[in-house]
Amino acid sequence: MTVDDADGPKRRSRQKQVGDALRRDTRARVLEAAADEFATHGYTETTVTRLAAAAGVSIPTLYLAWGSKRELLRGYMEESLSGSASSPEDAVSQFAGRPPLERLTGLADLFVEVAERAATGWRLYREASTVDAEIAADWDELQLLRHRLFARILDGIPEAALADGLTPKAAIDTAWVIASPDTYDLLVRRLGYKVDDFRNWMKQTLTSAILAPAVSADATRAGEGVEGSRRVAPVPCGAVTA
C-alpha cells in the first residue's frame, strides 16, 4: 500500500467536510436572499431567477440547495417560527410544570415573540396559498401544528382552574383562536397596536377567556403594570377567527 493509498480515506473525509460546509453555506445564503426578496416583492412576484441573482448563485445551484421556491418559503417560515430554539416543539418545553396562570401569560409572551419574527412569513403564506394548492396545504398544516403545540402548553391545567363550563379541549381551541396570525395582523398591522399593547391585550384576553375569574384577575392586575400600555377590554374568543 502506498502513502497515497493510506491517506485516501482521510483526504476523502476532508473533502466531504468541505463539501458539506459549502452546501450549508449555500443554503444559508439562498435562504437569506429569499427572506429579503419575499418580504420586498411577495411570493408570487419573486422569481427563481431573481432569487438566484440575489444569492449570487446559479439557478441549478439554487435548485440543488432547496429544490423549489416553495421549499424556500417553508424553510423561511420554519426558521422564523423556531427562532433560537431548535424547533417549535423545543420552544414549548419551558412550560412543563408551570401553574395555569404562568402557562397562559407565558404563552402570550411566546406568541408575541414568534409573531414579531413570523408576521411577514404568515402574510406570504396567506397570499401564496391563494395561487398554490401545496402552499395552502402547508399553511393548513402550520395552523394545526400551532394547535398541537398549544395543546402541549395547556396540558395539565386542572378543570377546576378553567372558566365555568370550559372543557380542556375547548380551552385549547380558545387559545388557538385568540393567539393566531390573524389576530396579530388585525391588531398590530391594521390597527397599529404597539408590541407592548398587544402583549398586554393577549395576556388579559387569554386568561379571562380560559381561566376561572379568581385566577384570571391576578393576570389582569399584573397586566396593568405594563408601562405605556392602553387599557384594552378583553374580547370574546369568537370575535377573532383563526
Side-chain angles (χ1 to χ4, degrees):
M1 177 182 292
T2 66
V3 174
D4 286 344
D5 290 337
D7 288 343
K10 293 182 180 179
R11 184 166 56 250
R12 286 192 294 272
S13 177
R14 287 194 298 270
Q15 290 171 343
K16 183 179 185 303
Q17 291 174 359
V18 171
D20 289 344
L22 288 173
R23 282 188 288 274
R24 287 193 298 269
D25 178 71
T26 300
R27 280 178 61 86
R29 283 194 293 122
V30 173
L31 185 60
E32 183 178 356
D36 292 337
E37 293 297 316
F38 287 153
T40 302
H41 303 288
Y43 179 80
T44 304
E45 297 300 319
T46 298
T47 64
V48 171
T49 300
R50 184 194 294 273
L51 282 171
V57 300
S58 67
I59 292 176
T61 296
L62 184 148
Y63 280 122
L64 282 173
W66 280 98
S68 68
K69 188 173 75 167
R70 185 183 300 114
E71 288 301 314
L72 262 173
L73 180 60
R74 180 70 185 235
Y76 168 65
M77 189 77 259
E78 288 179 348
E79 185 176 78
S80 299
L81 291 173
S82 299
S84 59
S86 60
S87 69
E89 289 83 357
D90 181 57
V92 307
S93 62
Q94 61 182 292
F95 292 91
R98 288 192 186 185
L101 179 58
E102 286 187 19
R103 290 193 191 211
L104 287 175
T105 56
L107 171 59
D109 286 331
L110 177 62
F111 178 76
V112 174
E113 176 191 334
V114 170
E116 288 186 87
R117 296 193 305 266
T120 298
W122 287 339
R123 174 177 56 81
L124 290 168
Y125 256 95
R126 281 194 296 264
E127 293 173 356
S129 65
T130 63
V131 297
D132 189 315
E134 290 190 39
I135 290 178
D138 261 1
W139 180 238
D140 288 343
E141 176 55 32
L142 285 170
Q143 300 316 303
L144 293 175
L145 171 62
R146 182 166 54 86
H147 190 278
R148 292 194 293 271
L149 295 178
F150 283 14
R152 286 180 55 190
I153 291 172
L154 272 63
D155 181 47
I157 294 181
E159 287 199 49
L162 298 178
D164 188 36
L166 197 68
T167 65
K169 180 183 183 304
I172 295 165
D173 295 344
T174 300
W176 185 62
V177 170
I178 293 172
S180 73
D182 286 340
T183 305
Y184 183 87
D185 183 72
L186 288 168
L187 294 182
V188 177
R189 192 172 73 86
R190 297 178 186 274
L191 292 186
Y193 275 48
K194 294 180 181 178
V195 172
D196 280 345
D197 295 338
F198 181 67
R199 181 182 291 107
N200 189 34
W201 177 91
M202 181 64 64
K203 288 181 179 181
Q204 291 185 25
T205 305
L206 280 172
T207 54
S208 63
I210 293 173
L211 297 180
V215 182
S216 64
D218 293 338
T220 300
R221 287 192 293 270
E224 292 172 355
V226 178
E227 183 178 354
S229 66
R230 71 184 83 179
R231 293 294 301 278
V232 183
V235 299
C237 65
V240 182
T241 58

